[in-house]
Amino acid sequence: MMMKMEEKKEGEFLTVPPFECAWPKDLKFREAGRGCVAFEAFARNDVTLVFRENVGSQHYHYKRDNSPHYTVILGSHRNRRLKIEVDGKSVVDVEGVGLCSSAFQSYWISIYDGLISIGKGRYPFQNIVFQWLDTNPNCSVRYVGLSSWDKHVGYRNVIVLPLMQNHLSLWKHVDVGYGGGGGGDYIHEECGQEELEDELSAYDKWGLQNFLESWDLSDVSFIVGMEERPVPAHKVILASSGNFPLTSPDGVIDLKGVTYSVLHSLLEYIYKGRTQILESQLASLMILSLQFEVMTLVKQCEEIMEQFKINEKSFDSGKRVELSYPSTSPHCYRAFPFGLPVDRQRLKQLHSTGEYSDVNIYIEGGGLVSQPHKIILSLWSVPFAKMFTNGMSETNSSKVLLRDVSPEAFKGMLDFMYNGELNLEITMESGALLLQMLLLSDQFGVTLLHQECCKTFLECLSEDTVSPILQAVSSISSCKLIEETCERNFSMHFDYCTTASTDFIFLEEANFSNIIRHPDLTVTSEEKVLDAILMWGMKAKSVYGWEVVDELMAYSTPELLFMERLQSVFDFLSFVRFPIMPLVLLKNLEKSNISRRIPTFDFLVKEAISYVEHGFSGPEFEQNVRFQLRRSSYKELQYLCDGDSNGVLYFAGTSYGQHQWFNPVLAKRITITASSPASRFTDSKVLASRTYQGTSFAGPRLEDGHSSAWWMVDIGHNHQLMCNYYTLRQDGSRAYIRYWNLQGSLDGKTWTNLRVHENDQTVCKPGQFASWPIVGPNALRPFRFFRVVLTGPTTDVSNPFNICICFLELYGFFH
């Protein structure tokens, strides 16, 4: 019988029974779609957290939930895998990440507009173990449930923290949320929560409201009431919110017939997006709003007054009415100008024309780049606000000269300030521009722009961009998340990143060290790690292996070759796992000039040879990672001859080496699809079969306005292949292919050409095998999907766009 769920402590922690979920009322994100939960847990497997819009029931279970939700499972599959599910469907299932512990261990999980980050330890955004970005984010999740699978799970010291607007910064103050060992299942320490709020950055409290009725940067004033009270304002804000008379040479708007409290409510509505006013003054506020054409406020006043009439309610002079601008923008855009009665198109027009501008921005070497408004710059950037209000030279000047700033990046930052959104079309055309805007936003403290640039980088990070991005952000403390993500991306695509270009040689020592020591480092052979270290040490201008360094060492010295990086190279060599190299390679390294001139290298190689030849055992070997295979390693499936048993499809048919071969399509280890519907002669299992088929073809289909014929192989979820060879076999027809491509893809939608065939005459008789190598950097890029796609007619005149093959095999490094 299932134990009744009780929110009680056993000792100092809460136990969640199998198949149940705890929903304490205080485990709730302050802001929907954004929050971080830090906790300690112990379990044999399946530490499970559920994130949804509403609280679930006691017997809630995520497997039966039909409403939108995220589920994060640490230690799934008997504590072997990390899983993330969206609405019950698995989107992440990775091995060896985020595992459980039989003793209490600290974890944290943050959600930010669909970016799910998971880490170990007490400090969010440190020790990140995995990240995943939902391209269709659920911005409604708010409540956190603590759940389990088939074993009890213990939780303690659970706390939900709000995310700062710049969620990418490190949170050194998370400790305030942890009790001092007193146990608190679900407990938020009240003092800790208050301290956390007190420590929110000044930027979070900064905005247009700070300039309400402030003489700072004002360029127009109202004279209000019979007492002629001056009330300051700002032309650009008024002009973008309504139709105010701003052409007076003395910058004064006379409102002697209006009381101060009514004008204050109007300005408060414009500057804050909300206000309160006495019921008896509501009509006066509506008249004033109508006079200056602040139409959203007019409409709200009318609606409230009409409601009073319907309810036959008299205006109570002592009661106040609250009025708020009806913002329809998503929660992630609550900064200026969102949430305010500001016409964004009018604001952008004022920016482009320079109307009411009070500052000219010059960039050294670029001349005048913009004529913006000091208040717009100041409400986004505290450094600009101080520059214009703290008595600096720019306070009383209309000229600002900036040095070492990209004009294009500065214009992009200004566009963001006036629009509140990042122009992705412009920034993604040039990654360099986006990077410059990131650096500029950090320099001037434009936190939301910094955040949007970081999000865009994370979304668009690839093996081709990871090195330059990592090089740029490594010196920016607020980009720690991007830095760690880049290091992990690089380590997981180590072969490609160190052979497609030499950009990696410019990486800082700390970053390169983190990469070669990263637990997720994925490499086809340990020799590649050695090659990369030597290239980095020499600041290589071209890609080469250790053999080239060996030749240079015959006529030079390590001091001359590695110069200031010599000690770093010596240190990095200890991270190479020489003992897992082939003995033949180790013997060659032992005889090399490198071994002769670098004692550390010689010692490591000789140690590895002894280990391989004599098979030493003992704790000092078993616990030393240098003597262990890398967890994330590839299996080499090498092409030997046409129709051999060494390829991926054959390997899948043996359940990856576990039993006798069985057609992998029938075993559902792989999936093969064709451009035309399945039929007797379009049979997916034929291509994976070991039996010759006389008629086997895929017919054309209309895609993107043109005819296309293809066979596609999906090697399966969690499997990837760096393909370096492939084999086809012609069926019994004479429809020989001449124009086709072999392509690879990670998602089955976006394709990369691995080999392009133009008028290839290789296939020339029925039943013929033919094989081709894949060369170049793309041979080192892992893909899940592969397809042979026809790009031109075959030799068959009657059906020139049927692709007639009866066998397909792929080779390379399989993961």
Side-chain angles (χ1 to χ4, degrees):
M1 181 174 178
M2 188 175 292
M3 186 179 82
K4 182 178 179 181
M5 169 63 70
E6 296 181 4
E7 295 187 15
K8 67 177 183 179
K9 290 179 288 184
E10 292 184 3
E12 295 184 349
F13 59 88
L14 176 102
T15 298
V16 178
F19 309 107
E20 296 200 9
C21 190
W23 294 95
K25 61 182 179 180
D26 53 350
L27 282 192
K28 176 184 177 183
F29 291 170
R30 177 182 301 176
E31 184 178 6
R34 295 178 171 185
C36 178
V37 57
F39 60 96
E40 293 179 61
F42 87 93
R44 293 183 180 179
N45 52 265
D46 296 280
V47 172
T48 305
L49 279 82
V50 183
F51 303 86
R52 67 198 306 267
E53 184 176 1
N54 300 303
V55 173
S57 67
Q58 169 186 326
H59 297 289
Y60 164 93
H61 203 272
Y62 61 92
K63 290 292 186 183
R64 301 188 296 269
D65 191 352
N66 294 321
S67 62
H69 66 283
Y70 291 123
T71 304
V72 178
I73 308 171
L74 306 173
S76 178
H77 292 73
R78 298 184 180 179
N79 201 25
R80 292 198 296 266
R81 310 184 75 84
L82 165 70
K83 291 188 69 174
I84 299 177
E85 295 184 358
V86 177
D87 305 338
K89 295 181 180 179
S90 180
V91 294
V92 171
D93 189 351
V94 294
E95 186 176 2
V97 177
L99 305 184
C100 306
S101 173
S102 56
F104 273 111
Q105 185 163 325
S106 298
Y107 305 89
W108 58 265
I109 301 173
S110 77
I111 298 180
Y112 190 95
D113 296 346
L115 176 64
I116 299 179
S117 303
I118 302 165
K120 289 185 177 180
R122 300 170 67 184
Y123 298 99
F125 300 110
Q126 289 191 351
N127 299 319
I128 296 174
V129 299
F130 194 81
Q131 285 181 300
W132 176 76
L133 181 65
D134 187 356
T135 55
N136 185 25
N138 181 350
C139 291
S140 300
V141 295
R142 197 156 200 171
Y143 289 90
V144 182
L146 307 177
S147 189
S148 62
W149 181 234
D150 60 344
K151 299 286 192 304
H152 288 75
V153 179
Y155 295 92
R156 74 180 184 189
N157 292 335
V158 185
I159 179 171
V160 169
L161 297 170
L163 290 179
M164 300 177 189
Q165 281 187 312
N166 183 6
H167 75 292
L168 304 179
S169 61
L170 294 176
W171 294 1
K172 296 296 186 183
H173 55 270
V174 175
D175 262 335
V176 302
Y178 286 86
D185 40 346
Y186 315 125
I187 291 179
H188 291 255
E189 299 278 345
E190 289 300 325
C191 61
Q193 191 76 358
E194 292 172 5
E195 288 179 38
L196 182 61
E197 292 183 20
D198 291 341
E199 292 186 20
L200 289 176
S201 64
Y203 182 89
D204 293 325
K205 303 173 184 177
W206 189 256
L208 188 59
Q209 67 270 15
N210 295 81
F211 295 92
L212 173 64
E213 297 183 22
S214 169
W215 288 102
D216 286 337
L217 309 180
S218 65
D219 51 3
V220 65
S221 61
F222 296 90
I223 302 298
V224 64
M226 299 307 296
E227 69 276 18
E228 299 187 0
R229 176 175 177 173
V231 179
H234 306 82
K235 288 182 179 180
V236 65
I237 302 301
L238 299 181
S240 57
S241 304
N243 187 12
F244 291 80
L246 302 173
T247 56
S248 171
D250 58 358
V252 172
I253 300 174
D254 196 339
L255 292 178
K256 293 176 182 166
V258 178
T259 62
Y260 166 74
S261 59
V262 173
L263 176 63
H264 172 77
S265 291
L266 173 64
L267 293 178
E268 188 175 45
Y269 182 82
I270 292 173
Y271 280 69
K272 287 187 173 183
R274 62 186 184 279
T275 188
Q276 290 184 343
I277 193 167
L278 294 172
E279 290 180 358
S280 58
Q281 295 179 325
L282 194 60
S284 299
L285 178 61
M286 186 192 75
I287 294 171
L288 185 64
S289 304
L290 186 62
Q291 175 184 343
F292 295 130
E293 300 180 18
V294 184
M295 301 312 297
T296 54
L297 184 55
V298 172
K299 183 178 180 181
Q300 283 188 280
C301 291
E302 288 177 339
E303 289 174 350
I304 294 175
M305 293 171 67
E306 184 65 26
Q307 196 66 40
F308 279 8
K309 290 179 182 178
I310 294 173
N311 297 334
E312 297 181 354
K313 179 181 176 182
S314 61
F315 292 97
D316 187 335
S317 60
K319 289 187 177 180
R320 289 184 169 272
V321 177
E322 185 167 329
L323 301 157
S324 297
Y325 175 68
S327 175
T328 57
S329 302
H331 73 267
C332 47
Y333 288 115
R334 295 199 303 192
F336 180 86
F338 298 96
L340 300 172
V342 173
D343 185 331
R344 292 169 62 198
Q345 293 301 320
R346 174 64 174 146
L347 187 64
K348 288 192 284 187
Q349 182 184 13
L350 294 172
H351 175 217
S352 62
T353 62
E355 189 175 3
Y356 308 128
S357 169
D358 53 359
V359 63
N360 297 324
I361 303 290
Y362 295 85
I363 291 180
E364 190 174 56
L368 179 66
V369 295
S370 183
Q371 293 179 297
H373 308 83
K374 288 183 178 180
I375 186 173
I376 302 297
L377 272 63
S378 298
L379 64 89
W380 277 103
S381 166
V382 174
F384 268 124
K386 291 181 178 179
M387 181 189 299
F388 295 139
T389 60
N390 282 9
M392 299 173 66
S393 60
E394 292 82 3
T395 302
N396 300 313
S397 172
S398 61
K399 179 179 178 180
V400 172
L401 176 63
L402 301 176
R403 294 180 174 86
D404 301 322
V405 170
S406 161
E408 292 77 15
F410 191 82
K411 290 177 182 177
M413 184 173 75
L414 286 178
D415 287 340
F416 180 85
M417 289 176 166
Y418 279 83
N419 190 38
E421 292 179 323
L422 188 62
N423 189 333
L424 291 179
E425 290 184 4
I426 294 177
T427 55
M428 291 320 300
E429 287 177 2
S430 170
L433 177 60
L434 183 64
L435 184 56
Q436 291 169 345
M437 289 176 63
L438 173 69
L439 299 174
L440 205 59
S441 64
D442 183 74
Q443 177 182 346
F444 288 102
V446 187
T447 310
L448 286 185
L449 175 59
H450 185 278
Q451 168 191 306
E452 290 301 311
C453 289
C454 287
K455 282 180 62 178
T456 305
F457 270 129
L458 289 176
E459 292 169 2
C460 304
L461 188 66
S462 71
E463 307 93 282
D464 292 308
T465 60
V466 62
S467 290
I469 291 175
L470 181 53
Q471 181 189 354
V473 304
S474 60
S475 60
I476 307 175
S477 59
S478 56
C479 290
K480 191 68 176 177
L481 174 61
I482 293 184
E483 184 178 2
E484 292 181 356
T485 305
C486 285
E487 289 173 351
R488 184 171 186 270
N489 183 285
F490 191 114
S491 67
M492 295 181 70
H493 302 92
F494 191 85
D495 286 85
Y496 184 87
C497 292
T498 56
T499 54
S501 77
T502 57
D503 289 344
F504 76 95
I505 67 163
F506 300 108
L507 295 178
E508 295 292 331
E509 177 184 350
N511 295 126
F512 192 61
S513 175
N514 290 340
I515 289 168
I516 62 177
R517 291 185 296 120
H518 203 286
D520 292 328
L521 193 147
T522 305
V523 64
T524 54
S525 72
E526 201 64 20
E527 187 178 2
K528 299 279 189 181
V529 181
L530 174 61
D531 292 342
I533 290 173
L534 297 176
M535 281 192 286
W536 181 87
M538 291 183 59
K539 300 181 182 178
K541 296 181 179 179
S542 60
V543 176
Y544 48 72
W546 65 269
E547 298 91 344
V548 173
V549 182
D550 184 49
E551 292 177 8
L552 294 173
M553 203 75 76
Y555 307 100
S556 186
T557 64
E559 290 76 13
L560 291 175
L561 291 179
F562 301 123
M563 301 181 71
E564 75 277 6
R565 291 185 173 182
L566 178 64
Q567 187 56 50
S568 299
V569 171
F570 288 173
D571 295 339
F572 291 163
L573 287 174
S574 63
F575 302 129
V576 180
R577 302 187 182 184
F578 288 100
I580 68 174
M581 289 181 175
L583 184 59
V584 174
L585 174 60
L586 289 171
K587 292 288 188 179
N588 290 334
L589 292 174
E590 184 185 27
K591 295 182 291 185
S592 69
N593 294 310
I594 305 174
S595 188
R596 183 167 56 87
R597 290 186 176 271
I598 302 178
T600 301
F601 185 91
D602 184 57
F603 170 79
L604 293 169
V605 171
K606 283 183 167 58
E607 177 191 52
I609 291 174
S610 297
Y611 176 79
V612 172
E613 289 182 335
H614 304 294
F616 296 143
S617 62
E620 68 274 20
F621 295 104
E622 295 171 359
Q623 297 174 10
N624 191 327
V625 295
R626 291 196 297 110
F627 295 86
Q628 300 171 10
L629 290 172
R630 294 189 184 275
R631 187 183 66 205
S632 300
S633 59
Y634 283 84
K635 177 177 178 62
E636 185 174 9
L637 301 173
Q638 186 178 10
Y639 168 81
L640 294 180
C641 63
D642 294 343
D644 63 20
S645 300
N646 291 343
V648 172
L649 276 67
Y650 187 90
F651 188 52
T654 65
S655 293
Y656 315 110
Q658 298 300 311
H659 58 61
Q660 292 294 315
W661 182 87
F662 183 75
N663 192 305
V665 173
L666 295 176
K668 297 184 178 179
R669 297 289 181 181
I670 64 170
T671 304
I672 299 179
T673 52
S675 52
S676 56
S679 69
R680 177 183 175 187
F681 300 119
T682 306
D683 189 347
S684 60
K685 65 179 180 291
V686 167
L687 265 70
S689 173
R690 313 301 290 177
T691 305
Y692 171 71
Q693 181 83 5
T695 303
S696 173
F697 64 86
R701 67 187 294 178
L702 198 63
E703 293 181 344
D704 299 327
H706 66 274
S707 184
S708 178
W710 44 260
W711 285 100
M712 181 174 70
V713 178
D714 175 4
I715 61 176
H717 187 57
N718 291 330
H719 291 135
Q720 292 183 335
L721 174 71
M722 289 192 281
C723 184
N724 58 25
Y725 231 98
Y726 80 106
T727 298
L728 300 178
R729 188 178 191 184
Q730 177 73 20
D731 72 353
S733 73
R734 296 183 179 275
Y736 308 133
I737 53 177
R738 294 291 178 257
Y739 303 90
W740 77 97
N741 296 341
L742 177 70
Q743 299 177 326
S745 172
L746 287 170
D747 58 8
K749 299 175 182 178
T750 304
W751 294 93
T752 299
N753 286 332
L754 302 182
R755 182 168 180 124
V756 175
H757 298 263
E758 292 287 340
N759 196 23
D760 189 324
Q761 305 284 328
T762 304
V763 180
C764 56
K765 58 185 178 181
Q768 177 187 344
F769 282 102
S771 302
W772 296 267
I774 309 300
V775 295
N778 285 338
L780 295 171
R781 299 183 73 168
F783 297 104
R784 170 182 168 179
F785 299 88
F786 297 86
R787 72 174 182 176
V788 179
V789 57
L790 208 61
T791 59
T794 67
T795 58
D796 188 356
V797 178
S798 59
N799 293 295
F801 290 99
N802 284 349
I803 181 167
C804 302
I805 59 175
C806 64
F807 177 81
L808 173 64
E809 186 59 279
L810 306 168
Y811 303 86
F813 293 94
F814 181 72
H815 176 54

